[in-house]
């Protein structure tokens, strides 16, 4: 289908972009890589009156360390993340970056676009949840820093207001003894996940887990934290019993629907399996 008519602007500064969103509140939409939005326009599932293309805002594309955080600009592409030495230091983030779509998707799609779009099957939201990241958004008047765990409200619904632009993702730099991993199963290479798990753990010198983040993608209405798995991990040591607890918590905690990716029971089993695979790799990377 051909998209409905819309106005188009390509501002050269963040302030100009924010002014456009403010002046056309409710009818303007941000365009980043376009890899989720353009298909919606073509199917007329989205019919914005104005597209605010942030493709010129190069100062929103960066990866840096500052203030004890990894800070990533919203316009950073999946490919730039995959290539970043700073991102490579996190097993969790580098696992996820390399497994998104195909090279074309990774070259165009952005971290900010993926997080703002909040597709329950996309990969970054679970990574943000497990690594306890924050999402920075701005409008003309103020900046808000929203914990990822309060950001994903429903399917394709986030805490971003229509006049706000997502500018940055902030990830706390984990202490020594931390490891993370992302495990994903998909129907074919380059596809969205059938089930995926993000795990980050910190272990002390005796091998006890002192901090844990566990989140799942593609098996519920939203990406979500597996609270029961995190509780089981805290204070525990690696063991087959611990793996069973995490597997059960993931499988029972999700709420998948039957679709082209498979039936409900299969998806539950895969949620448990992905959680255990990510846990094993995360513990190995943590030195446990
Ligand atoms: C064939 C294919 C395969 C894919 N496979 C995967 C996959 O395996 N895993 C995965 O996670 N994703 C996958 N994707 C999605 C891809 O990662 C997209 O890049 C991502 O979902 C959206 O990023 P974008 O930059 O293209 O955003 P856009 O499509 O430009 O925007 C998406 C939405 O976010 C809003 N938005 C964008 N940027 C901002 C911002 N800075 N502030 C506020 N709002 C903003 C837009 O208004 C729009 O509503 C795939 C896409 C395709 C087409």
């Amino acid at each position: 289908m051909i998209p409905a008519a819309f106005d188009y602007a390509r501002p050269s500064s963040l302030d100009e972009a924010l002014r456009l969103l403010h002046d056309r509140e409710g009818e303007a939409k941000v365009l980043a890589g376009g890899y989720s939005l353009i298909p919606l326009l073509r199917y007329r599932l989205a019919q914005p009156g104005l597209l605010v293309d942030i493709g010129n805002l190069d100062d929103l594309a960066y990866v840096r360390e500052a203030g004890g955080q990894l800070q990533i600009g919203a316009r950073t592409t999946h490919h730039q993340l995959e290539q970043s030495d700073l991102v490579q230091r996190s097993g969790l983030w580098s696992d996820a970056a390399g497994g998104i779509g195909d090279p074309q998707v990774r070259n165009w799609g952005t971290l900010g676009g993926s997080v703002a779009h909040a597709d329950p099957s996309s990969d970054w939201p679970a990574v943000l949840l497990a690594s306890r990241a924050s999402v920075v958004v701005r409008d003309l008047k103020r900046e808000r820093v929203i914990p990822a765990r309060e950001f994903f409200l429903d399917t394709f619904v986030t805490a971003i207001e229509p006049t706000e632009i997502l500018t940055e993702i902030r990830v706390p730099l984990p202490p020594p003894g931390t490891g993370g991993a992302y495990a994903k199963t998909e129907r074919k290479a380059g596809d969205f996940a059938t089930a995926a798990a993000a795990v980050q753990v910190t272990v002390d010198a005796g091998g006890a887990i002192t901090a844990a983040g566990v989140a799942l993608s593609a098996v519920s209405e939203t990406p979500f934290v597996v609270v029961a798995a995190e509780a089981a991990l805290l204070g525990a040591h690696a063991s087959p019993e611990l793996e069973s607890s995490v597997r059960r918590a993931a499988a029972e905690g999700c709420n998948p629907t039957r679709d082209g990716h498979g039936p409900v029971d299969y998806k539950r089993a895969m949620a448990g399996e992905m959680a255990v695979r990510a846990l094993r790799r995360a513990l190995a990377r943590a030195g446990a």
Side-chain angles (χ1 to χ4, degrees):
M1 264 170 82
I2 297 171
F6 52 82
D7 297 331
Y8 174 83
R10 193 171 166 97
S12 50
S13 73
L14 179 59
D15 280 349
E16 196 187 333
L18 291 170
R19 167 65 57 193
L20 287 163
L21 289 184
H22 177 267
D23 291 349
R24 303 276 297 265
E25 181 174 352
E27 54 157 340
K29 257 197 149 342
V30 173
L31 174 70
Y35 265 63
S36 294
L37 185 52
I38 301 283
L40 291 180
L41 297 178
R42 293 194 57 169
Y43 287 111
R44 299 203 176 193
L45 294 170
Q47 298 192 22
L50 169 68
L51 279 191
V52 180
D53 183 346
I54 59 170
N56 277 345
L57 306 189
D58 291 335
D59 49 354
L60 287 186
Y62 55 84
V63 183
R64 66 187 177 215
E65 273 185 14
Q69 300 164 333
L70 183 65
Q71 301 178 342
I72 307 170
R75 261 208 57 231
T76 310
T77 63
H78 310 312
H79 175 70
Q80 287 167 332
L81 285 165
E82 193 185 358
Q83 296 296 310
S84 160
D85 291 340
L86 294 175
V87 170
Q88 294 289 331
R89 289 184 199 164
S90 161
L92 170 56
W93 279 72
S94 61
D95 280 355
I100 293 180
D102 53 32
Q104 195 177 343
V105 172
R106 294 199 288 276
N107 273 320
W108 279 93
T110 65
L111 176 62
S114 180
V115 172
H117 190 54
D119 185 324
S121 298
S122 63
D123 296 300
W124 288 124
V127 173
L128 266 62
L129 293 171
S131 50
R132 290 184 163 74
S134 298
V135 181
V136 184
V137 298
R138 271 193 57 188
D139 67 10
L140 272 181
K141 295 197 190 105
R142 60 175 183 161
E143 179 178 281
R144 296 194 293 145
V145 181
I146 308 166
R149 291 179 176 223
E150 297 167 18
F151 183 78
F152 301 103
L153 303 180
D154 206 340
T155 309
F156 301 114
V157 181
T158 71
I160 304 182
E161 298 291 340
T163 52
E164 289 176 326
I165 290 182
L166 195 167
T167 55
E168 186 175 87
I169 302 297
R170 293 180 184 162
V171 192
L173 290 179
T178 299
Y182 190 69
K184 170 178 177 177
T185 182
E186 55 203 345
R187 286 176 307 184
K188 56 183 169 50
D191 203 357
F192 281 93
T194 297
V199 174
Q200 182 170 288
V201 288
T202 305
V203 296
D204 66 17
I209 297 170
T210 57
V214 181
L216 294 177
S217 273
V219 285
S220 274
E221 299 81 1
T222 60
F224 71 101
V225 174
V226 190
V227 177
E230 292 185 348
L233 288 168
L234 272 185
H237 290 71
S239 71
E241 294 73 30
L242 183 61
E243 287 186 3
S244 298
S245 299
V246 168
R247 183 188 298 279
R248 195 168 45 249
E252 291 176 358
C254 62
N255 185 27
T257 50
R258 180 188 178 83
D259 60 16
H261 289 262
V264 167
D265 288 352
Y266 170 72
K267 289 188 178 182
R268 279 192 193 283
M270 285 303 103
E273 178 63 25
M274 292 305 113
V276 169
R277 287 188 193 182
L279 173 64
R280 283 185 193 141
R281 219 176 323 135
L283 283 167
R285 287 170 171 167

